[in-house]
Amino acid sequence: MAPLVQIAATLGLALSSAFVPANAAVIERGGKPTPAPSGLKSLNTLAKAKGRYFGTIVNTPWDSTDTKYLKLSGNSKEFGMITPENYQKWFATEPVRNEFNFTGGDYIVKWAHKNGQVVRGHNYVWHSQLPDWLNNGTWDKKTLTSIMVNHIVKMGKHWKGQLYAWDVVNEPFNDDGTWRSSIWHDIIGPEFINIAFTTARAVDPHSKLYINDYNVEGVNAKSTAHYNLIKSLQKKH
């Protein structure tokens, strides 16, 4: 179906380049932060003029005492999009099988919306930061697939309509273009990506869906692997 094709086709432009640290809006001189010269347009304002957005990650704004950081990262003129760094990952959201905790993610989503920013969910399926029950379990393909689908459905329903986009699959390839070893690939097989995207689209028809990765800004073994993956998904949909 077209939505899935459109999702994956944005890969070459949309992966790592939209994410920068929130302190990137200052200039370092002699080790001391110096405000950008007055009269310069803010980062997200410049991006919006080109039909794009400029965003950053935040982790725990609820316990930060750095008021300058909070003011800057919550400035929608500089950062129009916020990504929760950790609190939508599996270890934080499903620490016990089928027992979900959305507290941290909810705080960041509400904080961003209060600041007039959109949110990019991060992430549904990744090889890292998994809870012990998942890493240490003995799974067959059918059971692990059902666990993955259940996680995406519960997460997607909870934040349905609240997020601009989701990183559905995170970092599936090694730099040499081979599949990264993970419980998802090693037990379910490469089709875990198609299953994840199909499930994510069904549960939330309107958010944009992405594969997120790094070192794919140019043509190399990893970006070629992603390109070939996208072509294979297009054939299925």
Side-chain angles (χ1 to χ4, degrees):
M1 297 192 25
L4 184 59
V5 173
Q6 292 167 358
I7 293 156
T10 62
L11 182 66
L13 295 176
L15 299 185
S16 310
S17 56
F19 300 94
V20 297
N23 62 0
V26 300
I27 302 170
E28 296 289 336
R29 291 177 181 163
K32 296 180 179 180
T34 302
S38 60
L40 294 181
K41 291 185 178 180
S42 53
L43 296 171
N44 193 52
T45 300
L46 291 169
K48 286 172 67 176
K50 299 294 184 179
R52 301 190 181 191
Y53 64 82
F54 199 83
T56 189
I57 56 173
V58 298
N59 191 29
T60 56
W62 54 85
D63 66 5
S64 176
T65 58
D66 189 340
T67 56
K68 290 183 178 179
Y69 166 78
L70 291 174
K71 183 178 180 180
L72 179 58
S73 58
N75 184 345
S76 62
K77 292 183 179 180
E78 296 290 356
F79 303 107
M81 183 278 302
I82 292 294
T83 294
E85 182 177 6
N86 285 305
Y87 282 87
Q88 288 178 327
K89 292 176 180 174
W90 207 302
F91 81 96
T93 55
E94 195 179 354
V96 178
R97 185 175 179 181
N98 205 31
E99 294 184 15
F100 287 81
N101 183 350
F102 302 118
T103 304
D106 279 343
Y107 185 100
I108 295 172
V109 170
K110 292 176 182 177
W111 179 81
H113 287 171
K114 182 180 178 180
N115 294 327
Q117 298 162 303
V118 298
V119 179
R120 178 166 175 154
H122 181 75
N123 53 60
Y124 282 141
V125 183
W126 192 26
H127 66 274
S128 185
Q129 291 185 260
L130 300 173
D132 288 342
W133 70 265
L134 188 55
N135 265 331
N136 300 332
T138 302
W139 312 112
D140 57 29
K141 180 176 181 177
K142 181 179 180 180
T143 303
L144 187 60
T145 299
S146 69
I147 289 171
M148 183 185 74
V149 167
N150 179 67
H151 183 82
I152 295 172
V153 168
K154 295 289 178 62
M155 295 271 287
K157 284 185 176 180
H158 179 79
W159 279 299
K160 183 177 181 180
Q162 300 180 60
L163 306 184
Y164 163 81
W166 269 107
D167 291 329
V168 178
V169 175
N170 203 43
E171 302 170 3
F173 291 113
N174 297 309
D175 281 346
D176 64 1
T178 59
W179 286 99
R180 185 188 297 276
S181 179
S182 69
I183 62 170
W184 314 113
H185 176 268
D186 297 348
I187 297 175
I188 300 174
E191 63 264 34
F192 84 89
I193 291 184
N194 184 54
I195 296 169
F197 270 94
T198 301
T199 304
R201 175 51 68 225
V203 73
D204 188 346
H206 301 297
S207 64
K208 292 182 179 293
L209 305 179
Y210 291 92
I211 297 172
N212 186 60
D213 217 325
Y214 59 93
N215 291 345
V216 291
E217 290 79 8
V219 177
N220 54 47
K222 182 187 275 189
S223 64
T224 298
H226 276 291
Y227 176 82
N228 291 334
L229 172 62
I230 291 167
K231 297 297 286 186
S232 71
L233 291 173
Q234 288 177 325
K235 290 179 180 179
K236 293 178 180 179
H237 297 274

